[in-house]
Amino acid sequence: MQRVDMIIHNAGQLVTCVSGGRVKRGAAMQDVGIIDDGGVAIADGKFVAVGTSSAIRAKFTADEVLDAEGRVVCPGLVDPHTHIVYAGDRLNEFELKIKGADYLDILASGGGIISTVRHTREASIEMLVEQSLKRLDKMLACGTTTCEIKTGYGLDTETELKMLAVIEVLDKRHPIDIVPTFLAAHAVPPEFKGNADGYVGLICEEMLRWAWKWYEESHFSSKNRPFFIDVFTEKNAYDVAQTRRIFETASEIGFGIKAHVDQFTNLGGSRLAMEMNAASIDHLDAISDAEIELLANSNTVGIVIPTENFNAGKTQFANARKMIDNGCAIALSTDYNPGSAPCPSQPMAMAISCRYQKLLPSEALNAATVNAAFAIGLGETHGSIEVGKQADIVVMKASDYRALAYEFGGNMTANVIKAGEAV
Ligand code: NIG
Ligand code: FE
């Protein structure tokens, strides 16, 4: 008998999302790697064995034994695109949008992202930490154990660095593992209205260096977590030439690349990001067939964000069905933010995706776990139940994993295990 820290057994379905070290693309997204009556052994925060309950019990003992009582046990969910560090709210904008106002028009008139920037600039680090921890708690309660967080509500050097400092405190204080992304090019700051090129110059000549210095001194770099650059390539935000300048400068410094592209308008940002070997391209509502083909043949993961469409009351969604059918690797995210997607729940994103983007529950689960981990550079260590990976697990109040995307509006999470510890 081998002694380990924890055993979980009697999982009606142990849904591993096993991927063998590769992102899942095309038809492989339908395979969630189910072991009936499954179990796992965990030591030092990692999986040391994955198999049937009887095989696990025959080989391992532990003080901590969790009986899943026939429930679904699946990987901790991974949310690869969020903006949860902010102050203030956008409830007035919610009402304006119900009455017919347009997201990009609100932004152009100094509301939207810019209104959150005003509040975030005024907020202290402590206040941002306190509010953001509550958002992480909500995500954890819905089964998310790893997420990406973007800056982008500072739009000046001081506040963007303040947001990075907040993200590091969050990672230290909260069980959710975080990957930081620098989104100084989220909107054009009021000081540079009509002079986006001037602000892009500031980003390239000053902000990126400071951000990288922060990263090198942060615990993210010592933990080997990646650090990404992101740009909102869109009308009233940044064009492709500006995006290229930021990406080229950032990638020379060492940043990985992510991109907000084709959310409303196809400006060619997807193609640019893929040419630059982006880890992910995100939104993709307006992506072209030619770009879908490029995506299928690239190392880039396409992140679709159906919560944004749902929140805007749209009936059109990114055509994730077509992307998967053409061999793309697709991930899902909540985009949790105060304006376009106030949603902490990956299961909710899965539920919307199944109905409006026609993903199968299996595809949605792979998209919210292992593929999402690859989209933030953590595919080797997170996102699936495989020997050697970090032991992040959710026990669901269901006996069939498909219920996770089927039921909506409640919460199916029974237990969460993060790096082998119950949280
Ligand atoms: O992914 N599109 C730009 N950025 C976010 C929205 C952020 C906000 O509205 O505050 C998005 O939708
Ligand atoms: Fe976003």
Side-chain angles (χ1 to χ4, degrees):
M1 281 291 208
Q2 189 181 328
R3 208 160 174 81
V4 291
D5 298 330
M6 186 191 244
I7 288 172
I8 302 174
H9 67 136
N10 289 334
Q13 293 181 332
L14 178 68
V15 186
T16 61
C17 297
V18 52
S19 86
R22 285 189 307 273
V23 72
K24 295 195 182 202
R25 58 178 68 252
M29 285 188 65
Q30 284 183 39
D31 183 4
V32 287
I34 296 176
I35 301 174
D36 292 321
D37 191 11
V40 297
I42 298 168
D44 299 323
K46 292 186 176 155
F47 296 112
V48 291
V50 178
T52 59
S53 288
S54 53
I56 296 293
R57 282 190 303 254
K59 208 168 156 207
F60 299 95
T61 59
D63 289 337
E64 212 175 339
V65 177
L66 178 68
D67 183 347
E69 295 173 345
R71 289 170 161 171
V72 171
V73 172
C74 72
L77 304 176
V78 179
D79 195 339
H81 177 142
T82 83
H83 310 246
I84 62 154
V85 175
Y86 62 85
D89 66 56
R90 305 255 284 278
L91 293 167
N92 61 339
E93 189 186 305
F94 180 40
E95 293 187 323
L96 288 175
K97 286 192 287 195
I98 291 170
K99 292 179 188 160
D102 174 77
Y103 182 84
L104 289 180
D105 291 342
I106 294 173
L107 176 60
S109 65
I113 295 170
I114 297 298
S115 99
T116 302
V117 168
R118 278 194 297 274
H119 288 104
T120 307
R121 284 179 177 179
E122 282 165 17
S124 66
I125 292 195
E126 295 70 33
M127 181 185 156
L128 288 169
V129 166
E130 196 188 309
Q131 296 191 359
S132 307
L133 282 172
K134 289 186 189 144
R135 297 177 192 124
L136 286 172
D137 283 344
K138 290 187 202 174
M139 293 165 68
L140 186 70
C142 296
T144 294
T145 52
T146 301
C147 77
E148 180 259 23
I149 305 179
K150 300 172 196 298
T151 68
Y153 294 122
L155 312 186
D156 60 29
T157 308
E158 186 191 338
T159 317
E160 288 292 312
L161 289 171
K162 178 171 79 179
M163 292 187 73
L164 290 173
V166 170
I167 292 172
E168 187 173 10
V169 177
L170 296 177
D171 194 54
K172 286 182 177 155
R173 287 193 34 196
H174 201 277
I176 291 182
D177 281 338
I178 297 169
V179 168
T181 294
F182 194 61
L183 179 59
H186 192 194
V188 180
E191 303 76 29
F192 284 88
K193 203 167 180 194
N195 180 22
D197 279 328
Y199 181 57
V200 170
L202 181 74
I203 292 174
C204 292
E205 282 145 34
E206 180 182 309
M207 294 171 89
L208 288 173
R209 312 259 156 213
W210 282 110
W212 193 257
K213 183 171 182 291
W214 164 83
Y215 171 68
E216 285 188 320
E217 290 166 6
S218 77
H219 79 171
F220 293 106
S221 113
S222 36
K223 284 185 177 183
N224 266 329
R225 297 254 183 94
F227 187 27
F228 291 101
I229 182 72
D230 191 347
V231 175
F232 185 24
T233 310
E234 182 57 66
K235 278 198 290 209
N236 297 342
Y238 296 93
D239 65 24
V240 171
Q242 292 160 340
T243 307
R244 180 188 292 279
R245 185 168 169 211
I246 295 169
F247 282 169
E248 282 177 352
T249 314
S251 85
E252 255 171 50
I253 295 174
F255 288 84
I257 291 176
K258 292 182 152 286
H260 278 76
V261 285
D262 303 332
Q263 181 173 357
F264 303 99
T265 323
N266 187 328
L267 298 180
S270 288
R271 192 180 289 266
L272 167 69
M274 286 187 278
E275 270 168 27
M276 302 205 60
N277 205 20
S280 74
I281 51 175
D282 306 28
H283 282 288
L284 313 184
D285 294 57
I287 195 170
S288 69
D289 287 352
E291 288 158 334
I292 289 177
E293 202 183 316
L294 285 175
L295 180 59
N297 293 301
S298 73
N299 294 319
T300 302
V301 179
I303 298 181
V304 294
I305 305 178
T307 46
E308 187 271 336
N309 307 66
F310 174 80
N311 183 60
K314 295 181 202 166
T315 52
Q316 293 296 314
F317 289 71
N319 197 341
R321 180 72 268 146
K322 191 189 238 178
M323 296 176 211
I324 295 173
D325 290 344
N326 280 278
C328 299
I330 294 302
L332 268 172
S333 83
T334 63
D335 198 5
Y336 192 6
N337 75 68
S340 76
C343 175
S345 166
Q346 273 287 57
M348 185 68 195
M350 293 165 65
I352 303 170
S353 182
C354 289
R355 283 150 181 95
Y356 292 97
Q357 298 177 305
K358 307 299 174 198
L359 263 64
L360 294 165
S362 52
E363 294 170 321
L365 185 61
N366 279 317
T369 54
V370 69
N371 277 10
F374 277 99
I376 56 174
L378 297 184
E380 304 286 318
T381 48
H382 292 64
S384 58
I385 300 178
E386 293 179 74
V387 171
K389 278 199 170 184
Q390 184 163 296
D392 297 348
I393 275 189
V394 181
V395 184
M396 296 288 173
K397 294 174 198 155
S399 55
D400 184 317
Y401 80 91
R402 293 173 296 184
L404 186 54
Y406 184 57
E407 201 173 296
F408 60 91
N411 188 350
M412 309 274 274
T413 310
N415 308 66
V416 181
I417 315 284
K418 179 65 192 176
E421 306 268 340
V423 289

